[in-house]
Amino acid sequence: MTLRHSFIIACTSILLTACSKPVSEINTSSEIDNSAETAQLSQSTQSETAVAQEDQIEVGRDYHSLSNPEQIVVKHVSLDLAVDFDAKQLKGSATLDVERVEPTANQLILDTRELSILGVTADGADVPFEMLPTDVHLGTPLSIELPKGINRVTVQYTTSPDASGVQWLTPEQTAEKKHPFLFTQAQAIHARSFIPLQDTPLARMTYDAVIRTPKELLAVMSAANDPDTERDGVYEFTMPQPIPSYLIALAVGDLQFKAMGERTGVYAEASWLERAAKEFEDTENMLIETEKRYGEYSWGRYDLLILPPSFPFGGMENPRLSFITPTVIAGDKSLVALIAHELAHSWSGNTITNATWRDLWLNEGFTTYLTYRIMEFIYGSERYEMELVLGAQDLQAAIDNLPAKDQKLAIDLRGRDADDVFSNIPYEKGALFIRELEQKVGRENFDIFLLQYFQDFAFESITTEQFIDYLDTTLLKDHAEQLDRERIMQWIFEPGVPKGAPEADSDAFIVVDEARDKWLAGDLAATAIDTKDWNFHQWKYFLDNLPNQLTHDQLDELDDAFAFTQHPNNEIAHVWLLHSIYNWYEPAFERLYDYLTSIGRNKLVRPLYQALSATEEGKKFAQKAFAEAKSGYHPLTIRANEGYVQ
Ligand code: BES
Ligand code: ZN
């Protein structure tokens, strides 16, 4: 594997015109035509000119790591860490096995963020090290002088109580309220806040760990976990497959385990355990059905870990053990696409990995495509179509709201926080692009292509350009009549969505549109809408497509008929609360306050804070809720929302 490609992308003047197009001119069916301009664009993306120009991205260079795997690469990490809940610190050592890519290289550079480095040794002797200047986004590189012939160093360190990748919860912030809880979230660049390492998806490493905890607690990792391990406060783990650093994960708490199938199970605090195991009981089938099409699952077991509600994401695909928000335990499996998604990452993301964060769409776009497919394997085509329509609406919203430069699949992240790639573009635009490929070559052919793709790049990290090269030798060669290379370039390198992209529609939503229209026109009372067979997706679609401006009488009528304010489904409640904010509907505000102070999943709370911040009154409300919630929020949720309450 070559770590860095000499490939350079030129953002040509033509591309710049596209980059600077006002958002209002761009829509899902935007005219991105096959003109000469685009032809020139695709040539320039392939050009191997290495001329240094300001606008050029060095493809395959990770702008979010200051480490040097292209000279000396870390191949294995051995952790020995004690978990100190009182000090909110991990304390111990990381022993790194390295390989010299450049035989004469003698300086190993690791990423760190707010770590205290206590010493570095090799063969028991001190090794000189130095902290290099700090970059606000990237942290403080640790430079270690590596004596010739030495391929293993041990770094003694402690983490900061404010580490960006670790959340420490007090007993009161857990479900059982008896014991503290800790979890890490490394993606995108937070592994460096709890382990000194080469924090770039370009470098893959195996790892093992000894984790020392209070005796009554259990530690689990993104590694081989033994559900029957003795609870003695010393837990050992191995991850024998090479993974990128963002997939290293640890959680410690009063966890119980329940098997769901032969290879699947769930870890959770006691009061979530049964509910979670029931909600996610289809996980084993998802695994089996996915394997049938896309090849054997590479990772042994697939377990879920249910985190406290402060977990900032819906899910995180930590290998062998996906981390999952409890906010998707709805009681009716309506939100289990999240499990399909994290499971699908076992193929797209964990086995083949994006080389840099610019290439995130390779992880998330393929995974979102697979999520839809898995939902169809397990629940059938009606569910598939409904999920597609809801996804298409999310994509439209992203296109309406994001600047053109952030609507490209491969986005320029230089000088920006890696967390900025987190929008619906890599997910839904990525999935739509892949669905178009599928439709053009036929599903059967496309599944064969995917199976091969997953095998050909297993345990490698690849760039967007490597993917395009691969298309050139596979689909574009075998289906030249169905596919148009220039159009593929538009999908990847231009904002918006090319004209004629696949559409989604669902018969199940026709009745919903009719009912909503009649109700809005005053021709049908809310109580007269025949909703008894409506499923979650229909409700979500009903609410998502209400106009932003509603009268209090209308909101009262809906709430009286459907009890949205008290709705137990967190996604439904979320949309309802948004409408309540837009229209300053105070009867929902107690619930809103409760919601904001009990959930830390950013996707659910951030739009609420954002909507509140639009008015003075709203901002005051937001400030109060944020002040109360802050101590229980994850550092990422705090960072994402503090701007709305200032
Ligand atoms: N890997 C992502 C979460 C992520 C992405 C964390 C980028 C940090 C940076 C995970 O697989 C994910 O996509 N989660 C989504 C799930 C959803 C799309 C089903 C989430 O958390 O909302
Ligand atoms: Zn994902």
Side-chain angles (χ1 to χ4, degrees):
M1 178 181 68
T2 35
L3 283 169
R4 285 194 184 160
H5 307 266
S6 56
F7 229 43
I8 301 274
I9 276 214
C11 190
T12 62
S13 59
I14 290 149
L15 226 192
L16 278 175
T17 322
C19 301
S20 56
K21 221 177 183 184
V23 192
S24 56
E25 283 176 46
I26 294 158
N27 55 48
T28 23
S29 54
S30 80
E31 261 47 39
I32 302 174
D33 66 4
N34 286 342
S35 65
E37 290 183 354
T38 346
Q40 221 169 319
L41 159 70
S42 62
Q43 274 167 21
S44 63
T45 54
Q46 297 167 67
S47 75
E48 291 202 20
T49 146
V51 190
Q53 274 178 24
E54 240 176 29
D55 285 317
Q56 289 178 331
I57 289 178
E58 199 183 322
V59 170
R61 166 161 172 207
D62 185 352
Y63 288 94
H64 292 91
S65 169
L66 296 167
S67 66
N68 66 338
E70 73 285 1
Q71 294 174 316
I72 301 181
V73 63
V74 174
K75 301 302 276 184
H76 182 82
V77 177
S78 261
L79 298 169
D80 187 332
L81 294 173
V83 179
D84 183 339
F85 278 102
D86 294 328
K88 296 190 176 172
Q89 282 178 314
L90 299 172
K91 299 175 172 172
S93 65
T95 298
L96 311 172
D97 288 321
V98 305
E99 243 173 55
R100 282 174 173 75
V101 182
E102 283 177 11
T104 55
N106 58 8
Q107 185 192 27
L108 170 67
I109 305 178
L110 305 175
D111 292 298
T112 79
R113 192 202 300 270
E114 295 186 2
L115 296 182
S116 299
I117 306 298
L118 309 175
V120 182
T121 53
D123 284 343
D126 283 345
V127 168
F129 68 91
E130 168 189 19
M131 303 309 290
L132 302 180
T134 298
D135 175 289
V136 273
H137 295 311
L138 307 181
T140 313
L142 162 62
S143 170
I144 298 170
E145 237 175 76
L146 208 61
K148 211 170 162 218
I150 296 290
N151 295 320
R152 172 176 292 176
V153 281
T154 298
V155 183
Q156 296 285 344
Y157 71 100
T158 64
T159 60
S160 151
D162 302 316
S164 60
V166 187
Q167 190 178 13
W168 299 87
L169 294 169
T170 62
E172 298 70 49
Q173 292 163 332
T174 67
E176 301 301 315
K177 318 241 176 277
K178 285 198 212 95
H179 298 283
F181 201 105
L182 146 87
F183 66 87
T184 64
Q185 165 60 39
Q187 197 182 12
I189 57 166
H190 302 285
R192 65 192 67 176
S193 76
F194 58 95
I195 307 171
L197 42 48
Q198 292 180 323
D199 198 7
T200 165
L202 280 168
R204 306 182 76 99
M205 63 204 100
T206 50
Y207 80 84
D208 59 61
V210 179
I211 305 292
R212 303 167 197 280
T213 73
K215 268 204 176 53
E216 59 280 13
L217 301 185
L218 179 66
V220 288
M221 289 193 86
S222 54
N225 287 287
D226 172 9
D228 301 321
T229 185
E230 192 192 339
R231 283 181 185 237
D232 57 2
V234 182
Y235 303 100
E236 292 183 15
F237 302 93
T238 52
M239 167 44 82
Q241 288 119 318
I243 58 167
S245 56
Y246 77 87
L247 293 176
I248 300 181
L250 164 70
V252 179
D254 183 12
L255 294 167
Q256 313 294 325
F257 175 81
K258 187 171 163 79
M260 295 190 292
E262 224 170 277
R263 283 178 293 172
T264 54
V266 58
Y267 290 88
E269 285 190 74
S271 55
W272 286 111
L273 194 67
E274 296 298 329
R275 266 185 290 168
K278 182 87 192 92
E279 191 82 9
F280 305 136
E281 66 188 0
D282 299 327
T283 308
E284 184 89 18
N285 274 341
M286 290 182 179
L287 178 59
I288 292 167
E289 292 302 316
T290 312
E291 273 187 318
K292 276 188 198 158
R293 278 88 176 177
Y294 306 116
E296 202 187 337
Y297 176 72
S298 315
W299 304 90
R301 290 195 57 82
Y302 181 70
D303 294 319
L304 305 174
L305 168 66
I306 311 303
L307 289 156
S310 68
F311 183 54
F313 291 101
M316 179 63 214
E317 66 270 28
N318 298 315
R320 297 178 186 227
L321 182 67
S322 286
F323 284 21
I324 302 293
T325 173
T327 63
V328 291
I329 303 177
D332 59 0
K333 303 185 183 175
S334 55
L335 305 177
V336 299
L338 178 93
I339 307 300
H341 180 99
E342 303 315 333
L343 170 69
H345 271 307
S346 305
W347 285 262
S348 47
N350 299 2
T351 309
I352 303 189
T353 305
N354 51 214
T356 75
W357 299 115
R358 167 181 179 266
D359 310 301
L360 179 74
W361 75 275
L362 289 174
N363 277 14
E364 298 301 345
F366 276 88
T367 296
T368 303
Y369 168 82
L370 290 178
T371 305
Y372 290 127
R373 296 291 306 279
I374 296 171
M375 294 310 281
E376 186 170 27
F377 301 152
I378 306 295
Y379 303 107
S381 58
E382 183 181 271
R383 176 105 177 225
Y384 172 73
E385 281 155 11
M386 292 189 299
E387 304 251 359
L388 280 183
V389 173
L390 294 176
Q393 297 205 327
D394 286 346
L395 174 56
Q396 182 61 58
I399 287 174
D400 290 343
N401 293 315
L402 289 170
K405 67 178 171 48
D406 293 345
Q407 296 178 24
K408 299 170 186 186
L409 288 180
I411 82 167
D412 183 1
L413 278 173
R414 287 172 297 172
R416 297 174 70 183
D417 198 304
D419 292 334
D420 286 358
V421 240
F422 198 73
S423 83
N424 269 316
I425 296 293
Y427 289 77
E428 296 295 344
K429 181 177 168 183
L432 191 60
F433 164 48
I434 294 155
R435 190 151 69 88
E436 177 171 299
L437 295 178
E438 177 222 286
Q439 286 190 357
K440 295 215 158 159
V441 307
R443 197 168 256 198
E444 213 175 300
N445 290 329
F446 193 68
D447 279 350
I448 293 167
F449 162 78
L450 276 183
L451 171 67
Q452 194 63 42
Y453 170 62
F454 293 140
Q455 280 171 8
D456 287 346
F457 291 103
F459 298 102
E460 284 186 42
S461 303
I462 73 165
T463 62
T464 299
E465 284 65 22
Q466 278 172 289
F467 174 70
I468 295 169
D469 286 349
Y470 187 71
L471 280 185
D472 277 330
T473 59
T474 54
L475 287 187
L476 277 162
K477 186 159 76 56
D478 301 336
H479 302 272
E481 276 170 23
Q482 287 78 37
L483 295 174
D484 171 1
R485 191 175 195 279
E486 246 124 65
R487 188 174 165 86
I488 290 173
M489 293 301 174
Q490 287 174 40
W491 271 105
I492 297 175
F493 296 111
E494 294 203 31
V497 166
K499 207 173 170 181
E503 289 184 356
D505 65 84
S506 153
D507 288 348
F509 289 161
I510 295 172
V511 287
V512 180
D513 281 327
E514 280 171 6
R516 191 193 316 96
D517 289 349
K518 280 194 192 150
W519 176 73
L520 283 168
D523 296 339
L524 184 69
T527 44
I529 305 176
D530 183 11
T531 59
K532 71 175 180 313
D533 295 328
W534 281 16
N535 55 39
F536 158 79
H537 299 78
Q538 290 171 303
W539 282 115
K540 173 95 166 47
Y541 181 76
F542 177 81
L543 285 170
D544 275 348
N545 293 289
L546 283 173
N548 282 355
Q549 282 203 341
L550 292 164
T551 66
H552 283 195
D553 284 348
Q554 285 176 313
L555 291 164
D556 277 338
E557 191 191 344
L558 289 179
D559 212 12
D560 288 346
F562 309 124
F564 287 134
T565 298
Q566 297 312 327
H567 206 287
N569 184 300
N570 289 304
E571 293 271 0
I572 297 291
H574 170 83
V575 195
W576 175 251
L577 293 173
L578 263 184
H579 284 297
S580 303
I581 298 168
Y582 295 151
N583 297 289
W584 203 254
Y585 180 64
E586 285 177 295
F589 281 16
E590 204 181 310
R591 175 81 206 278
L592 174 61
Y593 195 85
D594 187 50
Y595 194 94
L596 290 172
T597 52
S598 59
I599 293 176
R601 182 179 171 193
N602 202 29
K603 180 190 151 199
L604 295 180
V605 297
R606 183 178 172 155
L608 300 174
Y609 277 117
Q610 188 179 22
L612 281 167
S613 72
T615 64
E616 273 312 307
E617 266 178 309
K619 195 176 242 186
K620 278 203 196 107
F621 185 96
Q623 281 166 340
K624 201 160 163 260
F626 190 82
E628 185 181 327
K630 191 175 169 187
S631 64
Y633 281 158
H634 188 278
L636 290 178
T637 304
I638 295 179
R639 216 188 59 202
N641 293 288
E642 61 195 355
Y644 297 125
V645 295
Q646 263 152 20

